[in-house]
Amino acid sequence: VGMVFQRFNLFPHMTVLENIIMAPVSVKKLPRDEAIAQAEQLLRKVGLLDKIDAYPNSLSGGQQQLVLIARALVGASQNILLDEPCSALDLANQQLVLQLISDLAHRQKRTVLFTTHDPTHALQVANQTLLLLPDGEWLAGESAAVLTEANLQRAYGLAVRKVHPPGSALPLLAPQFTIRR
C-alpha cells in the first residue's frame, strides 16, 4: 500500500531522491537502479526533476506534497491511500495531482482512496464517494448521485450549486455564500 499522509513526513537529512527510494529499496526490495528510474520519471511528471538533490527544508509545502506522492507511487503499489493530496497545492498542481489520481485509478486499474474537503475533486476523479454528514450520518454511492446540491448543503450547511462551465465536460461545485463587510 502506498500512502500519503496529510502531515509532511519527509526525512530532513535525506535528499528528495533518497526520500522517494528509501522504502521501495529497503522494504519492498526493489532494485536501487529501478527505484531511481521510477523516481526520476515521477519527479519529471510532477515537475520536480530539478529538485532531485534538494533537501525537504528547501521545498515549499506543495513541492513536499508532490514528493510524498511520488514516494507513494515508486514500487507500483496496487493500493494507494492519500489524505488530502491537494491540500497544499496551487490550482495547477491540484489538477496535475487529480489527473495523476485519475490515471492511476482508471488507466492503471489501481485502487485509490483519497480524502478531500473539495467535493469538486471527488466529482472529477472518483467513481464512488463517501460523504460525511452532521451527527455521524453519511452517504455513499456513485459520485454524481452522492454529490448533489441538496446533499452538499446538508453536509456543509450552506447552499452549493453545480455549475457547468462552457467547454467543460464536468461540472464544478460552487458554494453560495456572501461575505459581509
Side-chain angles (χ1 to χ4, degrees):
V1 175
M3 294 189 290
V4 176
F5 300 99
Q6 192 171 6
R7 290 182 55 213
F8 302 130
N9 33 349
L10 295 172
F11 297 101
H13 63 285
M14 298 176 138
T15 66
V16 164
L17 177 64
E18 291 166 336
N19 264 284
I20 293 173
I21 67 168
M22 182 196 61
V25 170
S26 63
V27 177
K28 296 179 184 176
K29 304 299 183 202
L30 189 67
R32 184 176 171 80
D33 290 347
E34 189 176 331
I36 290 171
Q38 287 183 30
E40 289 174 346
Q41 179 184 18
L42 287 162
L43 287 170
R44 186 175 295 108
K45 190 174 230 173
V46 299
L48 291 179
L49 187 58
D50 63 324
K51 304 290 186 188
I52 197 165
D53 294 319
Y55 288 88
N57 65 354
S58 70
L59 304 176
S60 71
Q63 290 171 326
Q64 290 180 42
Q65 184 77 344
L66 294 170
V67 171
L68 288 168
I69 291 168
R71 181 171 71 186
L73 299 179
V74 169
S77 297
Q78 179 58 39
N79 303 302
I80 302 162
L81 306 174
L82 304 118
D83 186 10
E84 297 188 38
C86 296
S87 63
L89 302 178
D90 62 27
L91 291 175
N93 281 323
Q94 286 180 31
Q95 287 303 298
L96 185 145
V97 168
L98 292 171
Q99 184 61 60
L100 184 59
I101 291 170
S102 179
D103 289 347
L104 291 168
H106 303 292
R107 289 194 180 116
Q108 297 181 28
K109 305 296 185 204
R110 297 194 203 184
T111 301
V112 180
L113 177 67
F114 71 99
T115 62
T116 181
H117 286 283
D118 189 335
T120 298
H121 293 170
L123 194 59
Q124 287 180 328
V125 176
N127 292 334
Q128 300 286 313
T129 294
L130 169 66
L131 180 63
L132 302 178
L133 300 168
D135 301 322
E137 295 184 52
W138 52 271
L139 296 169
E142 290 187 27
S143 295
V146 170
L147 297 172
T148 65
E149 291 173 350
N151 290 341
L152 292 169
Q153 181 169 352
R154 193 169 154 212
Y156 291 107
L158 60 98
V160 176
R161 293 187 66 206
K162 276 189 181 177
V163 181
H164 296 272
S168 177
L170 297 170
L172 298 176
L173 299 167
Q176 303 299 293
F177 52 69
T178 303
I179 304 297
R180 294 174 195 79
R181 296 180 190 240

